[in-house]
Amino acid sequence: MTANPLLMGHPLSSPEHAKHALLYMYRIRKFEEAVEDLFGRGMMHGTMHLSIGQEAGPTGACLALQITDQITSTHRGHGHCIAKGADLTRMMAELLGKKIGYCGGRGGSMHIADAETGNLGANGVVGGGIPIAAGAALAAKMRKSGTVAVSFFGDGAMNEGAFHEAANMAAIWNLPLILFCENNKYGMSSSTEKAFKLENLADRGKGYGIPGVTVDGNDVVAVYEAAEAAVARARNGEGPTLIESVTYRWKGHSRSDKNLYRTKEEIEEWKDKDPIPNFIHKVLDKGILTQEQIEEIQKVSTEQIMQAVKEAAAAESATPDGLLEAVFKAVSA
Amino acid sequence: MSDRMLTMAEAVREAMTIAMEEREEVFILGEDIGIYGGAFGVTGDLYHRFGPERVLDTPISELGIVGAAVGAALSGMRPIVEIQFSDFTAQAMDQIANQAAKIHFMLGGALHVPLVLRTPQGSGTGAAAQHSQNLEPWFASVPGLKVVVPSNPADAKGLLLAAIDDPNPVIFLEHKLLYKIPGRDPVPEGATRIPLGVSKVVRTGKDLTIVATGIMVNKSFEVAEKLSAEGISIELIDPRTISPLDTAPIFESVEKTGRLMVVQEGPSHAGYINEVIAQVSGSACFGNLIAPIKRLAGMNIPIPYAPQLEKVAVPQIADIEAAAREIVKNWR
Ligand SMILES: Cc1ncc(C[n+]2csc(CCOP(=O)(O)OP(=O)(O)O)c2C)c(N)n1
Ligand SMILES: [Mg+2]
């Protein structure tokens, strides 16, 4: 198993921070490449939603969070889960239907949660996690825990009633909530141009009386800075912030996507804005890390993923016993 | 008689095509039904044939979609809503259960809601608990909704055409594992309707009556064919619509066979099959039963992800076979 010490702070503030940011972006990328490969070889079941190309969002946002801060995630949730510090082996094991998987094989890719790192769960329902995050923020406020909640969701989710209702409640109650929209330009086949009359989705913040900021979601530094400001506001009791992190999904929506709604050129254009080399240029420019250090991080991340796949594949499969008993938590006497 | 074999997806698309050609008021709305062709490919090329106004891509806004369909239906249109997975009818449930279902009755007949809501349901795709449910009882328990559960392409086409004609809200539940497989029977050309509320005797037999809908009809049919070699003769009845429920053929069959098994994929607790059992229990055919009624249904659990868990959660062919054999052998 892989230990995940969570680190906080600006990705350019020290070599250690830069290493962390890079390592986590690589982990997300390579985890998902491994998932895609396992699917391709028929070793994985169901469907998958990959966030390759979007790694800077969750990585930057989680660098602004403590381990006790909470998140809610989405169907495209591997990145959030990894960035918040989840164990790679247990994640991979879940996708392979193993007993040691985060959900014991009952949830799969779309339902990974990890109480230890404050991850309240990925979600199969678009928008489903947004009011839940508002509720976590409400509890934080009521219990004076000093924690914040971050809800990750897509552009598409902003057109669900759940978004609107949660944003308004969080606003009127000044909840310590960060509404983190990963605007990857599409909700399945629906472009933001088709689904919105707005250029900047962050402008929706005005409608709720909360700040809305748009950031380059492929720049882990910009994402961190926006998240850090929002977290500070939230911890200060000043209420929620809407962050729109503009990015792009390289892969199809899910396994069955034929990409009929966008052009190859558009996909290529965004591949040139890859968040990983983007960050590497920055740290090299500033002399924070050397080329060798960067190569070492890439190597380590690959080894970590290979190790996770190996351990997960070797783990015992989930068995059907106890399924009925698993529906309810036992009532204690 | 034509001998065209279509898949369920093709048959549903054909019904929508015919209805849209017949009447200008018919249009389809839903998520990713346009260029994408629908999450399960059901609308396919309809966007290119009928254009973006009549094959209307929506934002991810289920409540808004169904609400807009209700309003359009009240105002002279005949919308067909596609909800991407039946699980997400939950988002739209106010418009379905509190609005669409009640308007005609509650408003004294002043208005009515000619609306069809089509949606894929069922497990077997590894999509886990929020993408795999069978929600018939949600809809069947609401007076004012008609609920159709087609089991094969030919029925799907005829029933959908009738549903679109119907002046009331109709929930049309398509099992996603049936989309890609051809039926046993050819699909007739043309606009032949199959009336809602008429059960179909899929196969006649004398030892055991099986009542099933949707994918469970296929599974039960396979079992019936197999067991006939062992001398067990199964009569299979597909109610096709569970609201309204046509019980007469079921009663008649039970009178003849004296044994009844009801099969559904959804959890047994409060499932629609319990209504079948209740109606049989209250009818004269009850006296002809020589065996306890057998209920075979999904476990009372959310659908799990891992394939080895997902399989045990819902009745498989082997389960139906074992249960059928047991009831006939043990009760003579
Ligand atoms: C309530 C609901 N409606 C529809 C779906 C089907 N669906 C799954 S993901 C998705 C697109 C979501 O788009 P977005 O929120 O932008 O997230 P992205 O996939 O781009 O990460 C859709 C329509 C769903 N899972 N839940
Ligand atoms: Mg999106």
Side-chain angles (χ1 to χ4, degrees):
Chain A
M1 309 236 172
T2 42
N4 294 296
L6 261 195
L7 192 72
M8 286 180 76
H10 197 289
L12 300 177
S13 60
S14 77
E16 205 192 334
H17 285 87
K19 277 184 188 170
H20 180 95
L22 191 56
L23 177 68
Y24 275 70
M25 288 199 285
Y26 270 133
R27 277 188 174 185
I28 299 169
R29 170 87 40 106
K30 287 166 194 291
F31 182 89
E32 294 202 329
E33 284 172 353
V35 167
E36 193 178 28
D37 176 60
L38 289 165
F39 259 103
R41 290 193 281 141
M43 292 169 69
M44 227 174 239
H45 168 73
T47 188
M48 58 170 173
H49 303 92
L50 302 178
S51 64
I52 294 179
Q54 307 184 188
E55 297 86 349
T59 304
C62 289
L63 270 166
L65 298 181
Q66 295 173 349
I67 195 153
T68 45
D69 290 327
Q70 293 171 296
I71 65 165
T72 62
S73 166
T74 69
H75 57 286
R76 203 174 303 289
H78 303 141
H80 314 135
C81 200
I82 292 172
K84 197 67 176 62
D87 180 85
L88 299 171
T89 299
R90 291 193 62 200
M91 280 183 70
M92 196 56 87
E94 182 55 35
L95 271 64
L96 288 169
K98 301 302 178 97
K99 242 179 205 164
I100 60 160
Y102 270 110
C103 321
R106 297 203 292 265
S109 159
M110 267 193 293
H111 301 293
I112 295 178
D114 179 19
E116 270 175 44
T117 58
N119 180 352
L120 295 177
N123 212 308
V125 177
V126 169
I130 309 174
I132 295 176
L138 175 64
K141 186 179 175 191
M142 294 174 82
R143 303 179 67 188
K144 301 186 172 54
S145 66
T147 58
V148 305
V150 179
S151 184
F152 290 101
F153 53 86
D155 46 289
M158 280 183 72
N159 287 326
E160 286 282 9
F163 167 80
H164 165 75
E165 296 177 27
N168 187 56
M169 286 196 292
I172 59 170
W173 295 334
N174 270 331
L175 300 183
L177 177 70
I178 290 88
L179 294 158
F180 194 96
C181 173
E182 298 181 279
N183 176 1
N184 61 4
K185 302 280 188 189
Y186 293 91
M188 216 159 143
S189 68
S190 233
S191 66
T192 47
E193 285 79 20
K194 263 180 75 177
F196 295 85
K197 273 279 197 180
L198 283 176
E199 193 140 323
N200 288 323
L201 308 191
D203 288 351
R204 285 248 183 122
K206 287 197 193 92
Y208 305 105
I210 63 173
V213 289
T214 301
V215 293
D216 177 354
N218 282 8
D219 178 356
V220 70
V221 175
V223 172
Y224 168 80
E225 287 172 354
E228 204 277 326
V231 168
R233 236 180 78 78
R235 283 204 217 283
N236 244 345
E238 293 167 61
T241 302
L242 170 61
I243 296 175
E244 175 195 13
S245 171
V246 179
T247 183
Y248 196 79
R249 132 171 92 64
W250 292 8
K251 302 283 174 176
H253 166 76
S254 67
R255 268 217 298 173
S256 44
D257 188 346
K258 298 191 206 71
N259 280 318
L260 297 174
Y261 49 86
R262 56 182 184 173
T263 62
K264 280 204 182 69
E265 292 72 38
E266 185 186 275
I267 301 174
E268 288 311 314
E269 213 175 282
W270 277 90
K271 283 188 177 174
D272 289 341
K273 303 182 199 166
D274 187 335
I276 296 179
N278 204 343
F279 182 62
I280 291 176
H281 289 316
K282 275 203 176 100
V283 292
L284 284 175
D285 265 6
K286 296 197 186 304
I288 300 175
L289 296 177
T290 64
Q291 187 63 39
E292 291 90 76
Q293 284 174 310
I294 287 165
E295 280 163 21
E296 177 63 16
I297 292 163
Q298 179 171 15
K299 200 173 122 228
V300 167
S301 67
T302 306
E303 286 163 5
Q304 289 175 343
I305 299 302
M306 279 168 59
Q307 179 73 6
V309 172
K310 213 168 113 190
E311 287 173 359
E316 190 187 344
S317 280
T319 55
D321 19 283
L323 282 179
L324 266 181
E325 294 70 31
V327 176
F328 292 105
K329 183 165 178 63
V331 179
S332 46
Chain B
M1 189 65 201
S2 104
D3 55 359
R4 283 185 325 146
M5 303 307 282
L6 301 184
T7 65
M8 178 102 107
E10 290 164 344
V12 167
R13 188 181 318 132
E14 187 165 283
M16 292 194 289
T17 308
I18 291 170
M20 287 173 79
E21 278 166 353
E22 280 179 355
R23 301 183 199 235
E24 259 173 29
E25 316 86 84
V26 178
F27 72 107
I28 317 175
L29 70 168
E31 296 160 14
D32 308 290
I33 62 167
I35 289 175
Y36 198 94
F40 290 90
V42 178
T43 47
D45 62 349
L46 294 185
Y47 176 85
H48 299 289
R49 294 171 67 172
F50 294 98
E53 270 189 18
R54 295 186 73 195
V55 182
L56 183 58
D57 259 332
T58 65
I60 310 173
S61 309
E62 291 79 12
L63 179 73
I65 296 166
V66 180
V70 171
L74 291 174
S75 315
M77 301 298 285
R78 283 189 178 257
I80 304 171
V81 172
E82 176 174 306
I83 295 292
Q84 206 162 80
F85 284 78
S86 68
D87 312 73
F88 315 140
T89 58
Q91 268 69 8
M93 214 48 165
D94 171 60
Q95 289 296 332
I96 296 170
N98 291 331
Q99 314 299 340
K102 297 186 171 51
I103 283 175
H104 179 69
F105 178 87
M106 190 170 70
L107 274 51
L111 295 168
H112 64 282
V113 186
L115 170 143
V116 177
L117 187 155
R118 295 181 32 249
T119 188
Q121 68 168 359
S123 73
T125 62
Q130 294 174 334
H131 284 78
S132 304
Q133 300 173 84
N134 287 273
L135 299 173
E136 297 102 331
W138 285 19
F139 307 110
S141 69
V142 181
L145 297 178
K146 297 188 180 182
V147 184
V148 183
V149 189
S151 68
N152 65 81
D155 278 359
K157 178 179 169 186
L159 291 164
L160 184 54
L161 280 165
I164 297 167
D165 282 350
D166 203 287
N168 300 290
V170 180
I171 309 295
F172 204 85
L173 301 169
E174 303 160 4
H175 199 291
K176 50 187 90 112
L177 292 189
L178 293 176
Y179 277 138
K180 293 216 166 90
I181 55 172
R184 286 183 304 277
D185 300 316
V187 179
E189 313 253 8
T192 314
R193 269 86 174 156
I194 297 175
L196 308 187
V198 181
S199 293
K200 176 176 168 186
V201 180
V202 179
R203 191 183 184 287
T204 55
K206 57 183 180 34
D207 297 326
L208 169 66
T209 302
I210 295 184
V211 176
T213 55
I215 195 166
M216 289 299 152
V217 175
N218 290 39
K219 293 188 177 182
S220 303
F221 188 86
E222 241 182 81
V223 169
E225 293 285 298
K226 182 164 179 205
L227 292 189
S228 76
E230 291 177 28
I232 295 174
S233 159
I234 291 174
E235 181 145 308
L236 176 58
I237 299 184
D238 175 1
R240 301 194 289 197
T241 61
I242 58 180
S243 292
L245 182 65
D246 173 24
T247 49
I250 301 173
F251 296 166
E252 231 171 82
S253 178
V254 169
E255 244 168 59
K256 178 171 70 174
T257 63
R259 301 181 188 90
L260 174 64
M261 175 155 98
V262 285
V263 190
Q264 77 176 15
E265 183 174 300
S268 61
H269 191 87
Y272 89 89
I273 51 173
N274 301 317
E275 178 63 23
V276 175
I277 296 172
Q279 299 241 13
V280 166
S281 308
S283 92
C285 75
F286 188 70
N288 294 65
L289 282 170
I290 57 169
I293 297 171
K294 175 70 186 173
R295 185 175 66 153
L296 197 57
M299 289 172 73
N300 291 309
I301 61 172
I303 297 294
Y305 158 74
Q308 68 274 23
L309 308 186
E310 187 177 21
K311 266 196 203 96
V312 305
V314 303
Q316 302 294 330
I317 289 175
D319 304 317
I320 302 173
E321 184 184 327
R325 193 181 282 121
E326 193 182 297
I327 183 173
V328 175
K329 294 247 155 95
N330 290 357
W331 298 90
R332 297 197 171 268

